Amino acid sequence: MEDVLLQIARACVQDSSLFEVVRHVASMSDEEKELFKTKVKVYFLNRTDEVDLQAYEFFRLILEDKNAERVLELFEKGSEPG
């Protein structure tokens, strides 16, 4: 899973909007994450488009445990000079 989180961190370097999403999720309380997780599940419930499925997997992953925070750590490591 670490490799997937690293891929997300690298994508955040290229896409500031994606970075902001990860940063926002990382700042959520556990209760906020649970509520958002429920909203994500409902939103993507009947979606079958490949892009929607990828988006759902992204949200599922960053909402799990402390993965959003881990992505930010990896992002910071990748942003350090040298």
Side-chain angles (χ1 to χ4, degrees):
M1 177 177 330
E2 190 76 8
D3 55 329
V4 176
L5 298 179
L6 185 56
Q7 277 185 300
I8 294 171
R10 288 179 181 149
C12 286
V13 171
Q14 303 295 321
D15 187 339
S16 61
S17 298
L18 183 64
F19 174 75
E20 288 303 319
V21 170
V22 173
R23 195 169 69 131
H24 183 71
V25 170
S27 72
M28 290 179 174
S29 69
D30 289 342
E31 294 80 20
E32 290 171 320
K33 283 182 184 178
E34 284 303 314
L35 180 61
F36 189 58
K37 198 181 294 188
T38 301
K39 289 179 180 182
V40 166
K41 285 179 185 177
V42 168
Y43 179 81
F44 288 105
L45 186 62
N46 293 318
R47 310 237 179 202
T48 57
D49 183 80
E50 183 64 28
V51 173
D52 288 330
L53 295 175
Q54 288 177 354
Y56 173 73
E57 185 61 24
F58 164 77
F59 280 112
R60 189 192 63 74
L61 189 66
I62 66 165
L63 286 163
E64 187 176 290
D65 301 321
K66 298 283 183 189
N67 286 344
E69 292 87 337
R70 183 68 186 128
V71 168
L72 291 182
E73 290 171 12
L74 293 167
F75 175 85
E76 290 299 321
K77 280 185 182 178
S79 298
E80 292 174 1

Short mmCIF file of all heavy atoms in Angstrom, two decimals, residues 44-79:
data_model
loop_
_atom_site.label_atom_id
_atom_site.label_comp_id
_atom_site.label_asym_id
_atom_site.label_seq_id
_atom_site.Cartn_x
_atom_site.Cartn_y
_atom_site.Cartn_z
N PHE A 44 -20.93 7.39 -4.89
CA PHE A 44 -20.38 6.48 -5.90
C PHE A 44 -21.13 5.15 -6.00
O PHE A 44 -20.73 4.28 -6.77
CB PHE A 44 -18.90 6.22 -5.63
CG PHE A 44 -18.02 7.40 -5.93
CD1 PHE A 44 -17.49 8.17 -4.91
CD2 PHE A 44 -17.72 7.76 -7.23
CE1 PHE A 44 -16.68 9.26 -5.18
CE2 PHE A 44 -16.92 8.84 -7.52
CZ PHE A 44 -16.40 9.60 -6.49
N LEU A 45 -22.22 5.00 -5.26
CA LEU A 45 -22.92 3.73 -5.16
C LEU A 45 -23.21 3.06 -6.49
O LEU A 45 -22.87 1.91 -6.70
CB LEU A 45 -24.23 3.92 -4.37
CG LEU A 45 -25.00 2.66 -4.05
CD1 LEU A 45 -24.16 1.75 -3.16
CD2 LEU A 45 -26.30 3.00 -3.36
N ASN A 46 -23.84 3.74 -7.42
CA ASN A 46 -24.23 3.13 -8.69
C ASN A 46 -23.38 3.59 -9.87
O ASN A 46 -23.79 3.46 -11.02
CB ASN A 46 -25.71 3.42 -8.98
CG ASN A 46 -26.60 2.71 -7.99
OD1 ASN A 46 -26.37 1.56 -7.66
ND2 ASN A 46 -27.62 3.41 -7.50
N ARG A 47 -22.23 4.11 -9.58
CA ARG A 47 -21.35 4.60 -10.65
C ARG A 47 -20.49 3.45 -11.16
O ARG A 47 -19.95 2.68 -10.38
CB ARG A 47 -20.48 5.72 -10.13
CG ARG A 47 -21.30 6.79 -9.42
CD ARG A 47 -21.11 8.08 -10.00
NE ARG A 47 -21.95 9.05 -9.29
CZ ARG A 47 -22.31 10.17 -9.82
NH1 ARG A 47 -21.93 10.49 -11.02
NH2 ARG A 47 -23.07 10.99 -9.15
N THR A 48 -20.38 3.36 -12.48
CA THR A 48 -19.60 2.27 -13.07
C THR A 48 -18.53 2.77 -14.04
O THR A 48 -17.74 1.97 -14.52
CB THR A 48 -20.54 1.29 -13.83
OG1 THR A 48 -21.25 2.03 -14.82
CG2 THR A 48 -21.50 0.61 -12.87
N ASP A 49 -18.52 4.06 -14.29
CA ASP A 49 -17.51 4.64 -15.17
C ASP A 49 -16.12 4.46 -14.55
O ASP A 49 -15.95 4.57 -13.33
CB ASP A 49 -17.82 6.14 -15.36
CG ASP A 49 -16.86 6.79 -16.32
OD1 ASP A 49 -17.04 6.64 -17.54
OD2 ASP A 49 -15.93 7.47 -15.82
N GLU A 50 -15.13 4.19 -15.36
CA GLU A 50 -13.78 3.93 -14.87
C GLU A 50 -13.23 5.10 -14.05
O GLU A 50 -12.59 4.90 -13.01
CB GLU A 50 -12.84 3.62 -16.04
CG GLU A 50 -11.43 3.26 -15.63
CD GLU A 50 -11.32 1.98 -14.81
OE1 GLU A 50 -12.18 1.08 -14.98
OE2 GLU A 50 -10.40 1.88 -13.99
N VAL A 51 -13.49 6.32 -14.49
CA VAL A 51 -13.00 7.50 -13.77
C VAL A 51 -13.66 7.57 -12.39
O VAL A 51 -12.99 7.85 -11.39
CB VAL A 51 -13.27 8.78 -14.58
CG1 VAL A 51 -12.94 10.03 -13.77
CG2 VAL A 51 -12.47 8.76 -15.88
N ASP A 52 -14.96 7.29 -12.34
CA ASP A 52 -15.66 7.28 -11.05
C ASP A 52 -15.12 6.20 -10.13
O ASP A 52 -14.95 6.43 -8.93
CB ASP A 52 -17.17 7.07 -11.25
CG ASP A 52 -17.86 8.29 -11.84
OD1 ASP A 52 -17.39 9.42 -11.59
OD2 ASP A 52 -18.88 8.11 -12.54
N LEU A 53 -14.84 5.04 -10.67
CA LEU A 53 -14.31 3.95 -9.86
C LEU A 53 -12.92 4.29 -9.31
O LEU A 53 -12.60 3.99 -8.16
CB LEU A 53 -14.26 2.65 -10.66
CG LEU A 53 -15.63 2.09 -11.08
CD1 LEU A 53 -15.45 0.87 -11.98
CD2 LEU A 53 -16.48 1.75 -9.87
N GLN A 54 -12.12 4.95 -10.13
CA GLN A 54 -10.79 5.38 -9.67
C GLN A 54 -10.91 6.45 -8.58
O GLN A 54 -10.17 6.42 -7.59
CB GLN A 54 -9.96 5.91 -10.83
CG GLN A 54 -9.48 4.83 -11.76
CD GLN A 54 -8.72 5.37 -12.96
OE1 GLN A 54 -8.63 6.58 -13.17
NE2 GLN A 54 -8.18 4.48 -13.77
N ALA A 55 -11.84 7.37 -8.77
CA ALA A 55 -12.06 8.41 -7.76
C ALA A 55 -12.54 7.79 -6.45
O ALA A 55 -12.08 8.17 -5.37
CB ALA A 55 -13.07 9.43 -8.27
N TYR A 56 -13.46 6.84 -6.54
CA TYR A 56 -13.94 6.16 -5.33
C TYR A 56 -12.78 5.46 -4.62
O TYR A 56 -12.63 5.56 -3.39
CB TYR A 56 -15.03 5.15 -5.66
CG TYR A 56 -15.42 4.33 -4.46
CD1 TYR A 56 -16.17 4.90 -3.43
CD2 TYR A 56 -15.01 3.00 -4.32
CE1 TYR A 56 -16.50 4.17 -2.30
CE2 TYR A 56 -15.33 2.27 -3.20
CZ TYR A 56 -16.08 2.85 -2.19
OH TYR A 56 -16.40 2.13 -1.07
N GLU A 57 -11.94 4.77 -5.36
CA GLU A 57 -10.81 4.06 -4.76
C GLU A 57 -9.85 5.04 -4.09
O GLU A 57 -9.33 4.78 -3.01
CB GLU A 57 -10.08 3.23 -5.82
CG GLU A 57 -8.98 2.37 -5.28
CD GLU A 57 -9.43 1.34 -4.25
OE1 GLU A 57 -10.61 0.95 -4.24
OE2 GLU A 57 -8.58 0.93 -3.43
N PHE A 58 -9.63 6.19 -4.72
CA PHE A 58 -8.79 7.23 -4.14
C PHE A 58 -9.34 7.68 -2.79
O PHE A 58 -8.63 7.70 -1.79
CB PHE A 58 -8.68 8.42 -5.11
CG PHE A 58 -8.16 9.66 -4.48
CD1 PHE A 58 -6.81 9.82 -4.22
CD2 PHE A 58 -9.02 10.69 -4.14
CE1 PHE A 58 -6.32 10.97 -3.63
CE2 PHE A 58 -8.55 11.86 -3.55
CZ PHE A 58 -7.20 11.99 -3.29
N PHE A 59 -10.63 8.04 -2.77
CA PHE A 59 -11.22 8.50 -1.53
C PHE A 59 -11.25 7.41 -0.47
O PHE A 59 -10.98 7.66 0.70
CB PHE A 59 -12.64 9.05 -1.76
CG PHE A 59 -12.64 10.44 -2.31
CD1 PHE A 59 -13.07 10.68 -3.60
CD2 PHE A 59 -12.21 11.51 -1.54
CE1 PHE A 59 -13.07 11.97 -4.11
CE2 PHE A 59 -12.21 12.80 -2.04
CZ PHE A 59 -12.64 13.03 -3.33
N ARG A 60 -11.57 6.19 -0.87
CA ARG A 60 -11.59 5.08 0.07
C ARG A 60 -10.22 4.92 0.73
O ARG A 60 -10.10 4.75 1.94
CB ARG A 60 -12.00 3.78 -0.64
CG ARG A 60 -12.25 2.62 0.33
CD ARG A 60 -12.37 1.30 -0.39
NE ARG A 60 -11.14 0.91 -1.07
CZ ARG A 60 -10.04 0.46 -0.44
NH1 ARG A 60 -10.01 0.34 0.86
NH2 ARG A 60 -8.98 0.12 -1.14
N LEU A 61 -9.19 5.03 -0.08
CA LEU A 61 -7.83 4.85 0.41
C LEU A 61 -7.39 5.98 1.35
O LEU A 61 -6.86 5.71 2.43
CB LEU A 61 -6.87 4.75 -0.78
CG LEU A 61 -5.45 4.35 -0.45
CD1 LEU A 61 -5.41 2.92 0.09
CD2 LEU A 61 -4.59 4.46 -1.68
N ILE A 62 -7.60 7.22 0.94
CA ILE A 62 -7.10 8.31 1.79
C ILE A 62 -7.94 8.49 3.06
O ILE A 62 -7.46 9.09 4.02
CB ILE A 62 -6.96 9.65 1.04
CG1 ILE A 62 -8.28 10.21 0.59
CG2 ILE A 62 -5.96 9.54 -0.08
CD1 ILE A 62 -8.20 11.66 0.18
N LEU A 63 -9.16 7.97 3.07
CA LEU A 63 -9.98 8.06 4.28
C LEU A 63 -9.69 6.93 5.27
O LEU A 63 -10.14 6.97 6.40
CB LEU A 63 -11.47 8.05 3.91
CG LEU A 63 -11.98 9.35 3.31
CD1 LEU A 63 -13.30 9.14 2.60
CD2 LEU A 63 -12.10 10.42 4.38
N GLU A 64 -8.93 5.95 4.84
CA GLU A 64 -8.62 4.80 5.67
C GLU A 64 -7.45 5.13 6.61
O GLU A 64 -6.46 5.73 6.19
CB GLU A 64 -8.24 3.63 4.75
CG GLU A 64 -8.04 2.32 5.42
CD GLU A 64 -7.78 1.25 4.36
OE1 GLU A 64 -8.73 0.91 3.63
OE2 GLU A 64 -6.64 0.80 4.26
N ASP A 65 -7.59 4.73 7.87
CA ASP A 65 -6.54 4.92 8.87
C ASP A 65 -6.01 6.35 8.83
O ASP A 65 -6.77 7.29 8.87
CB ASP A 65 -5.40 3.90 8.67
CG ASP A 65 -5.91 2.46 8.79
OD1 ASP A 65 -6.76 2.21 9.66
OD2 ASP A 65 -5.45 1.61 8.01
N LYS A 66 -4.71 6.49 8.73
CA LYS A 66 -4.06 7.81 8.66
C LYS A 66 -3.39 7.97 7.30
O LYS A 66 -2.33 8.60 7.19
CB LYS A 66 -3.03 7.95 9.79
CG LYS A 66 -3.59 7.89 11.18
CD LYS A 66 -4.26 9.19 11.53
CE LYS A 66 -4.77 9.17 12.96
NZ LYS A 66 -5.59 10.32 13.23
N ASN A 67 -3.99 7.41 6.26
CA ASN A 67 -3.36 7.43 4.93
C ASN A 67 -3.19 8.82 4.36
O ASN A 67 -2.18 9.11 3.71
CB ASN A 67 -4.12 6.53 3.96
CG ASN A 67 -3.88 5.07 4.23
OD1 ASN A 67 -2.94 4.69 4.92
ND2 ASN A 67 -4.74 4.22 3.68
N ALA A 68 -4.15 9.72 4.59
CA ALA A 68 -4.01 11.08 4.07
C ALA A 68 -2.80 11.76 4.71
O ALA A 68 -2.02 12.42 4.02
CB ALA A 68 -5.28 11.89 4.32
N GLU A 69 -2.64 11.55 6.00
CA GLU A 69 -1.49 12.11 6.69
C GLU A 69 -0.19 11.53 6.16
O GLU A 69 0.80 12.23 5.98
CB GLU A 69 -1.59 11.86 8.20
CG GLU A 69 -2.72 12.62 8.88
CD GLU A 69 -4.07 11.90 8.85
OE1 GLU A 69 -4.30 11.04 7.99
OE2 GLU A 69 -4.91 12.22 9.71
N ARG A 70 -0.20 10.23 5.87
CA ARG A 70 0.98 9.56 5.33
C ARG A 70 1.33 10.12 3.95
O ARG A 70 2.50 10.33 3.63
CB ARG A 70 0.75 8.05 5.26
CG ARG A 70 1.94 7.28 4.79
CD ARG A 70 3.08 7.30 5.79
NE ARG A 70 4.25 6.64 5.21
CZ ARG A 70 5.45 7.18 5.15
NH1 ARG A 70 5.70 8.36 5.67
NH2 ARG A 70 6.45 6.53 4.59
N VAL A 71 0.32 10.38 3.12
CA VAL A 71 0.56 10.97 1.80
C VAL A 71 1.23 12.34 1.96
O VAL A 71 2.17 12.66 1.23
CB VAL A 71 -0.76 11.09 0.99
CG1 VAL A 71 -0.56 11.97 -0.24
CG2 VAL A 71 -1.26 9.72 0.58
N LEU A 72 0.77 13.13 2.92
CA LEU A 72 1.37 14.45 3.15
C LEU A 72 2.83 14.31 3.58
O LEU A 72 3.69 15.09 3.14
CB LEU A 72 0.58 15.24 4.19
CG LEU A 72 -0.80 15.70 3.77
CD1 LEU A 72 -1.44 16.52 4.89
CD2 LEU A 72 -0.77 16.50 2.48
N GLU A 73 3.12 13.31 4.42
CA GLU A 73 4.51 13.07 4.82
C GLU A 73 5.37 12.72 3.60
O GLU A 73 6.48 13.25 3.45
CB GLU A 73 4.59 11.93 5.82
CG GLU A 73 4.03 12.24 7.19
CD GLU A 73 3.93 11.01 8.07
OE1 GLU A 73 4.50 9.95 7.71
OE2 GLU A 73 3.28 11.11 9.13
N LEU A 74 4.86 11.85 2.76
CA LEU A 74 5.60 11.46 1.55
C LEU A 74 5.76 12.65 0.61
O LEU A 74 6.81 12.82 -0.03
CB LEU A 74 4.89 10.31 0.85
CG LEU A 74 4.88 8.98 1.61
CD1 LEU A 74 3.89 8.00 0.97
CD2 LEU A 74 6.27 8.38 1.67
N PHE A 75 4.72 13.47 0.52
CA PHE A 75 4.77 14.68 -0.31
C PHE A 75 5.88 15.61 0.18
O PHE A 75 6.68 16.10 -0.61
CB PHE A 75 3.42 15.39 -0.27
CG PHE A 75 3.40 16.72 -0.99
CD1 PHE A 75 3.16 16.76 -2.36
CD2 PHE A 75 3.60 17.91 -0.32
CE1 PHE A 75 3.13 17.97 -3.03
CE2 PHE A 75 3.58 19.12 -0.97
CZ PHE A 75 3.34 19.15 -2.34
N GLU A 76 5.93 15.81 1.50
CA GLU A 76 6.96 16.68 2.08
C GLU A 76 8.37 16.13 1.82
O GLU A 76 9.27 16.88 1.51
CB GLU A 76 6.73 16.86 3.58
CG GLU A 76 5.51 17.68 3.93
CD GLU A 76 5.55 19.09 3.39
OE1 GLU A 76 6.64 19.71 3.41
OE2 GLU A 76 4.51 19.59 2.94
N LYS A 77 8.54 14.83 1.97
CA LYS A 77 9.84 14.21 1.69
C LYS A 77 10.25 14.43 0.24
O LYS A 77 11.41 14.71 -0.06
CB LYS A 77 9.80 12.71 1.98
CG LYS A 77 9.94 12.36 3.42
CD LYS A 77 10.01 10.85 3.57
CE LYS A 77 10.10 10.47 5.02
NZ LYS A 77 10.12 9.01 5.21
N GLY A 78 9.27 14.30 -0.66
CA GLY A 78 9.55 14.49 -2.08
C GLY A 78 9.81 15.93 -2.45
O GLY A 78 10.42 16.23 -3.47
N SER A 79 9.35 16.86 -1.61
CA SER A 79 9.52 18.28 -1.89
C SER A 79 10.82 18.84 -1.32
O SER A 79 11.20 19.96 -1.64
CB SER A 79 8.34 19.07 -1.27
OG SER A 79 7.14 18.66 -1.86
#
